[in-house]
Amino acid sequence: MGRRARDRRRQQQPQQRQERSGGGGDPAGWGSGYPEIVKENALFERYYREQRIVPDGEWDAFMAALREPLPATLRITGYRSHAREILHCLREKYFGELQHLEVDGQKVEMPQPLSWYPEELAWHTNLSRKILRKSPQLERFHQFLVSETECGNISRQEAVSMIPPLLLNVDPHHKILDMCAAPGSKTAQLIEMLHADMNDPFPKGFVIANDVDNKRCYLLVHQAKRLNSPCIMVVNHDASSIPNLQIDVDGRKEILFYDRILCDVPCSGDGTMRKNIDVWKKWTTQNSLQLHGLQLRIATRGVEQLAEGGRMVYSTCSLNPIENEAVIASLLEKSQGALELADVSSELPGLKRMPGMTKWKVMLKDGQWFEDWKDVPSNRQTQIRPTMFPIKEEEKLKAMNLERCLRILPHHQNTGGFFVAVLIKKSPMPWNKRQPKVHQKLPERTGDTEVTATNADGGSEDTTEEPTLAENEESKKMQELQNSDTEQSKKGVCGPPPSKKMKLFGFKEDPFVFLPEDDPLFLPIQKFYALDPSFPKMNLLTRTQEGKKRQLYMVSKELRNVLLNNSEKMKVINTGIKVWSRNSDGEQFGCAFRLAQEGIYTLYPFIHARIINVCIEDVKILLTQENPFLSKFSSETQKKVKDMAMGSIVLKYEPDPEKPDELQCPIVLCGWQGKTSLRAFVPKNERLHYLRMMGVEVFKAKRKEEESKSKAEEEVQCRPAQTEEGMEVEDKEHGVVTKMEAEIGEESSHSPVESSAMEVENKIEDLDQLSKTTNSHVSQESKDTDTKNVKD
């Protein structure tokens, strides 16, 4: 019987697939056996028509927009001094090539700046990723986007996703919490805003980026590390129960309240239908009913930790009022006047938006409607909660100003769907009001300061508001929310209620050990680089307690304060930027640590020795040749190097205003001065970025490199006896590339420039070529060194 049943199912499957796809064929070209997803959902249309989220007469345009692919959008990193150079390069070189271009018979529209994004640093185009990857005419543009994205200079980010950070109005001194941060595009925007003043390497503000998913935290680290900021910390907690942290203020512990909080909560995501087409067939009202309680808990936890006068942005990529206005209305109601919706109608001029709704209804997945909580039968009261319904009292509803919320509809500006609400905290939350407690001095710390050894619960608070709900009040005020979350808790959607302690999970992280003030490791470094007396050496840390310290990292003073006082209640995934790497060859020259490119822009203001100013031709040589002899550089550079001891150096390019055709932004590179040569320690993608900015053609070199790699693979396949060895080398190289992507610039201590630089060099006519023997030797040395550093 079992075999017959299986045979029947096999016979029925092709017919069922054909019926689901609308009757034969594969017009999408997705391949045999995979039906096209029909972009129809009757329940979705019925639900939103009834809720009246779309203005009269616009429903057809709304649905038509949802069925169209989402335009590709990109954002230029705004805080880098060369953002203008990237924008100029995009406009003049790459966008210019798109004029009059046709792909598959369709004319390519010229990219346009987002009218509401400041300084034209965000652009959108009708080019899909599929076209970008497969069209030969666009191959150079695609390589540019990929490389610059890996460098952190460009972010491929959905347009509506850029809105919440902009409405936070971040200043460099703000303490910021990003509650549900992964994958990290919005976090990157926040980091950029902290570094608005490039002359300040250590802004007083910081970003604590949190996510509940341990694996997604590492994606978040990857995104954040591209920006090379000492002011970012990635932590792993359930946002609805994220612990309140403490900091040391003049010798006493105080609760850390955040000036800005981004609360971009998990949602049903029906605003993403244009890119996530699975939503069409999976959409149901049940999703929003299950998520509402979790969203309210996360938002409640956020406003508890918000400082008075602070601003919190609540956002979702959903159009559903159950996930949006219902959450905000419930939050405003129980705040009893402590919160208010900010009027942001004058902010982001050019952004088309719909006002928030004041009336809506609740629907079950079977299509049954409810307009009031009293109409909900008892057997449905675990699915539908009172907080999902609009406020009935007209005066109270009017005072909430729900129309100040923003709903972005896809057909208005060719975007995804989105919802944003900006909340201002006027006073402590009513359940948090308490009397101040007596101050208690903190004990002194001596020796190596390891974060994992700190007792974070000692001391007492100097505050009138305690962000954690008392357990007895928790059980009363949050009971309804917990009941509504029962179903999703079983599925692992949300974590434990706020009254329970957070359980740590995921990978065990290395400790964060700060260097003590009298650490003998620092003295040779300080002397070798002539560090300024103002250099904050107490902010240096390592990730090991035993053996030699291989890497030195750095955080801001404010993040150091957070790390030292909260180790037992906070799981830190990553923080700090690498500023020095151990180099055994350097010991004979007076310093065992060489500079790391990742942290050079942070370190440079404090370095007063071993700086060589180079011209633009010298920079080209440094970035295209593996280990060029000193004789290849300008006479001015040769003079400066002549009397300088061998070892790690800083190479600085300053633009000449009298030569407007040359690169007009400064460049700081890490280098190494040998006995007869000078080289740069720069990761591949960053090297290619600088070459592009100087007008050097790198695309053909990139293609030649890929062709060489393909040819090498063919040779390996033709030699069966050596296949295993060849694959082993390839796998190890792939591991190095993966590590470079994860660490964004993990340079080898012996081979700073990869062999692909040789291919770039061959394409620059005005530079000398190295001999074939030297090329072969250096390339092999680079591969051998990279293989050794896979686990660095």
Side-chain angles (χ1 to χ4, degrees):
M1 288 294 291
R3 186 167 58 253
R4 285 198 208 102
R6 284 197 297 272
D7 290 341
R8 277 199 306 271
R9 282 199 298 269
R10 289 194 190 101
Q11 292 171 4
Q12 292 169 357
Q13 280 173 358
Q15 181 181 354
Q16 290 170 350
R17 282 198 296 267
Q18 188 176 18
E19 290 172 356
R20 284 198 300 269
S21 64
D26 184 24
W30 286 16
S32 177
Y34 290 92
E36 180 186 6
I37 292 179
V38 179
K39 296 180 180 179
E40 298 285 348
N41 189 306
L43 186 64
F44 173 88
E45 293 200 43
R46 180 188 167 198
Y47 181 79
Y48 281 120
R49 273 185 184 273
E50 191 72 21
Q51 298 285 23
R52 301 182 65 83
I53 66 162
V54 179
D56 294 337
E58 296 184 19
W59 180 260
D60 290 342
F62 168 72
M63 291 302 298
L66 285 178
R67 294 185 176 102
E68 290 295 319
L70 188 69
T73 50
L74 61 90
R75 182 176 58 80
I76 300 169
T77 301
Y79 83 99
R80 297 282 177 88
S81 58
H82 48 261
R84 288 286 139 205
E85 296 292 330
I86 298 173
L87 180 57
H88 177 76
C89 185
L90 264 176
R91 274 177 160 165
E92 301 301 321
K93 182 183 291 187
Y94 295 101
F95 290 168
E97 294 176 355
L98 301 181
Q99 287 183 335
H100 314 299
L101 182 65
E102 289 189 5
V103 177
D104 295 337
Q106 181 181 1
K107 185 178 179 181
V108 175
E109 295 178 11
M110 285 295 293
Q112 298 295 324
L114 296 180
S115 60
W116 46 268
Y117 201 94
E119 302 180 54
E120 293 191 351
L121 292 178
W123 292 70
H124 68 108
T125 172
N126 69 335
L127 295 171
S128 67
R129 289 190 177 187
K130 182 179 178 181
I131 293 176
L132 278 173
R133 287 171 179 166
K134 295 189 176 181
S135 171
Q137 306 100 307
L138 298 171
E139 188 178 358
R140 201 161 75 102
F141 182 40
H142 181 239
Q143 291 289 355
F144 169 81
L145 292 178
V146 171
S147 181
E148 293 298 319
T149 299
E150 291 174 350
C151 285
N153 299 316
I154 283 179
S155 176
R156 286 177 286 183
Q157 181 180 358
E158 189 176 349
V160 289
S161 173
M162 304 175 192
I163 298 172
L166 292 176
L167 292 178
L168 270 178
N169 291 352
V170 170
D171 289 328
H173 66 275
H174 283 150
K175 298 180 284 291
I176 308 166
L177 173 64
D178 191 348
M179 300 188 74
C180 308
S185 297
K186 300 180 187 70
T187 308
Q189 276 181 275
L190 299 174
I191 297 171
E192 294 170 29
M193 295 171 184
L194 285 182
H195 290 273
D197 182 4
M198 285 298 293
N199 296 320
D200 185 3
F202 293 102
K204 292 183 179 179
F206 55 79
V207 177
I208 294 180
N210 172 73
D211 201 85
V212 68
D213 189 314
N214 186 259
K215 291 181 180 179
R216 282 167 61 90
C217 281
Y218 292 92
L219 177 61
L220 180 56
V221 170
H222 172 66
Q223 289 274 53
K225 283 183 88 60
R226 296 183 307 167
L227 298 177
N228 298 332
S229 170
C231 306
I232 171 69
M233 179 191 296
V234 176
V235 299
N236 181 201
H237 288 281
D238 176 0
S240 65
S241 59
I242 190 168
N244 48 298
L245 306 182
Q246 294 176 319
I247 53 175
D248 179 1
V249 180
D250 298 328
R252 66 178 182 269
K253 283 190 176 181
E254 292 187 358
I255 297 297
L256 171 60
F257 290 97
Y258 300 94
D259 303 299
R260 298 289 186 269
I261 293 180
L262 180 56
C263 186
D264 186 54
V265 297
C267 65
S268 62
D270 57 23
T272 68
M273 280 180 156
R274 299 182 68 178
K275 63 176 183 179
N276 299 326
I277 56 177
D278 277 353
V279 177
W280 281 99
K281 64 178 181 179
K282 294 180 179 178
W283 188 92
T284 170
T285 57
Q286 192 66 20
N287 297 335
S288 60
L289 298 180
Q290 289 181 344
L291 286 165
H292 169 88
L294 173 63
Q295 293 162 338
L296 182 54
R297 289 170 55 205
I298 294 175
T300 301
R301 193 72 188 111
V303 295
E304 287 173 350
Q305 297 197 321
L306 187 63
E308 289 183 45
R311 176 178 282 215
M312 184 178 92
V313 170
Y314 175 90
S315 61
T316 74
C317 50
S318 168
L319 299 171
N320 202 323
I322 308 301
E323 302 177 61
N324 298 326
E325 284 92 346
V327 173
I328 296 301
S330 179
L331 197 58
L332 290 170
E333 184 178 31
K334 66 179 179 179
S335 78
Q336 299 177 17
L339 300 173
E340 72 172 0
L341 276 169
D343 182 1
V344 293
S345 58
S346 62
E347 299 182 34
L348 304 185
L351 177 65
K352 294 181 181 178
R353 62 197 91 182
M354 293 296 295
M357 301 167 60
T358 57
K359 304 292 182 184
W360 61 88
K361 296 185 290 185
V362 180
M363 178 198 275
L364 289 174
K365 65 179 179 180
D366 60 6
Q368 186 178 3
W369 287 100
F370 297 98
E371 297 192 23
D372 201 310
W373 165 250
K374 68 178 184 292
D375 299 330
V376 180
S378 58
N379 65 334
R380 297 293 191 179
Q381 290 183 2
T382 56
Q383 295 175 280
I384 299 178
R385 304 303 303 154
T387 53
M388 298 177 183
F389 292 90
I391 304 299
K392 297 298 182 183
E393 301 174 35
E394 287 297 328
E395 288 189 13
K396 186 184 290 187
L397 183 63
K398 186 178 180 180
M400 287 182 176
N401 296 310
L402 289 178
E403 69 280 356
R404 292 180 177 177
C405 300
L406 284 69
R407 181 175 272 96
I408 311 299
L409 298 180
H411 64 293
H412 283 167
Q413 283 180 300
N414 199 13
T415 64
F418 212 70
F419 175 87
V420 185
V422 183
L423 293 158
I424 305 293
K425 188 172 183 179
K426 298 163 63 179
S427 61
M429 303 306 289
W431 58 86
N432 288 142
K433 292 179 180 177
R434 298 193 178 174
Q435 295 298 317
K437 295 184 179 180
V438 180
H439 303 323
Q440 179 175 331
K441 289 289 183 178
L442 294 171
E444 296 288 333
R445 292 189 179 91
T446 58
D448 271 14
T449 311
E450 186 199 343
V451 172
T452 55
T454 308
N455 181 1
D457 293 323
S460 40
E461 303 95 12
D462 173 30
T463 178
T464 58
E465 181 179 356
E466 164 65 54
T468 302
L469 288 173
E471 290 191 10
N472 58 342
E473 291 182 314
E474 168 80 8
S475 60
K476 296 176 184 177
K477 294 182 175 291
M478 302 297 286
Q479 189 63 46
E480 293 180 352
L481 299 177
Q482 292 173 12
N483 289 341
S484 67
D485 291 340
T486 302
E487 191 68 24
Q488 67 224 39
S489 296
K490 292 177 182 177
K491 298 179 181 178
V493 176
C494 63
S499 60
K500 295 181 181 179
K501 286 190 175 181
M502 178 66 185
K503 292 182 180 179
L504 299 183
F505 52 90
F507 300 103
K508 179 176 171 52
E509 294 297 324
D510 294 328
F512 295 83
V513 185
F514 284 93
L515 263 62
E517 192 170 359
D518 57 350
D519 194 315
L521 192 74
F522 181 72
L523 192 59
I525 295 176
Q526 185 179 34
K527 183 178 179 181
F528 190 74
Y529 297 102
L531 296 179
D532 194 89
S534 65
F535 178 76
K537 59 183 178 181
M538 293 296 288
N539 298 351
L540 290 173
L541 61 86
T542 64
R543 299 298 301 272
T544 180
Q545 292 176 290
E546 301 175 358
K548 283 188 175 182
K549 298 175 175 65
R550 299 190 62 190
Q551 316 282 358
L552 294 182
Y553 302 88
M554 199 162 196
V555 295
S556 65
K557 180 179 68 174
E558 288 73 19
L559 270 190
R560 180 182 188 272
N561 193 348
V562 174
L563 274 167
L564 289 176
N565 288 288
N566 299 280
S567 62
E568 291 187 357
K569 56 171 68 174
M570 181 174 64
K571 182 177 180 184
V572 180
I573 299 297
N574 196 279
T575 190
I577 54 170
K578 183 170 65 177
V579 288
W580 279 290
S581 295
R582 181 178 289 276
N583 185 350
S584 56
D585 294 340
E587 293 183 5
Q588 59 184 304
F589 307 122
C591 183
F593 286 86
R594 67 170 180 84
L595 297 162
Q597 184 67 27
E598 180 182 322
I600 190 60
Y601 284 96
T602 299
L603 275 185
Y604 176 74
F606 300 99
I607 298 175
H608 295 311
R610 307 196 60 76
I611 300 175
I612 298 177
N613 289 312
V614 292
C615 65
I616 196 164
E617 295 304 321
D618 288 341
V619 176
K620 290 178 182 178
I621 294 172
L622 287 164
L623 296 177
T624 57
Q625 299 190 27
E626 172 62 26
N627 196 16
F629 290 112
L630 290 173
S631 58
K632 294 192 174 185
F633 293 92
S634 63
S635 57
E636 291 81 2
T637 298
Q638 293 183 48
K639 289 178 184 177
K640 295 170 186 174
V641 172
K642 185 177 180 181
D643 300 324
M644 190 176 289
M646 290 189 290
S648 185
I649 56 172
V650 178
L651 301 158
K652 176 71 181 292
Y653 163 75
E654 287 285 359
D656 187 349
E658 297 182 0
K659 298 179 180 179
D661 294 336
E662 293 185 356
L663 185 66
Q664 289 300 303
C665 66
I667 295 177
V668 183
L669 306 175
C670 293
W672 184 272
Q673 180 191 341
K675 191 173 183 179
T676 59
S677 63
L678 195 64
R679 60 168 62 176
F681 282 81
V682 183
K684 182 179 76 172
N685 286 317
E686 194 167 343
R687 183 175 69 250
L688 295 177
H689 159 71
Y690 288 130
L691 289 172
R692 283 193 196 94
M693 295 303 101
M694 291 183 290
V696 176
E697 179 61 69
V698 295
F699 173 70
K700 292 180 181 178
K702 176 77 174 177
R703 186 164 57 193
K704 183 177 179 181
E705 176 190 355
E706 291 173 349
E707 290 172 356
S708 300
K709 183 179 178 182
S710 178
K711 184 178 179 181
E713 289 175 355
E714 291 176 3
E715 291 176 356
V716 169
Q717 292 174 358
C718 294
R719 291 176 294 172
Q722 299 181 17
T723 300
E724 184 177 348
E725 180 181 356
M727 287 303 294
E728 182 182 358
V729 173
E730 183 183 19
D731 290 343
K732 288 180 179 178
E733 289 183 342
H734 176 70
V736 173
V737 172
T738 303
K739 181 168 182 59
M740 282 187 64
E741 290 177 348
E743 298 294 335
I744 310 303
E746 182 77 12
E747 312 102 283
S748 164
S749 59
H750 297 288
S751 180
V753 182
E754 296 184 15
S755 56
S756 60
M758 298 297 98
E759 311 297 344
V760 179
E761 177 193 356
N762 292 336
K763 294 299 175 182
I764 302 175
E765 298 177 355
D766 57 343
L767 299 176
D768 295 331
Q769 296 183 351
L770 296 177
S771 68
K772 292 183 178 179
T773 305
T774 305
N775 281 347
S776 174
H777 170 72
V778 173
S779 297
Q780 186 60 45
E781 179 192 19
S782 180
K783 290 181 180 178
D784 293 343
T785 308
D786 283 349
T787 303
K788 294 176 184 176
N789 284 274
V790 169
K791 295 183 179 180
D792 187 19

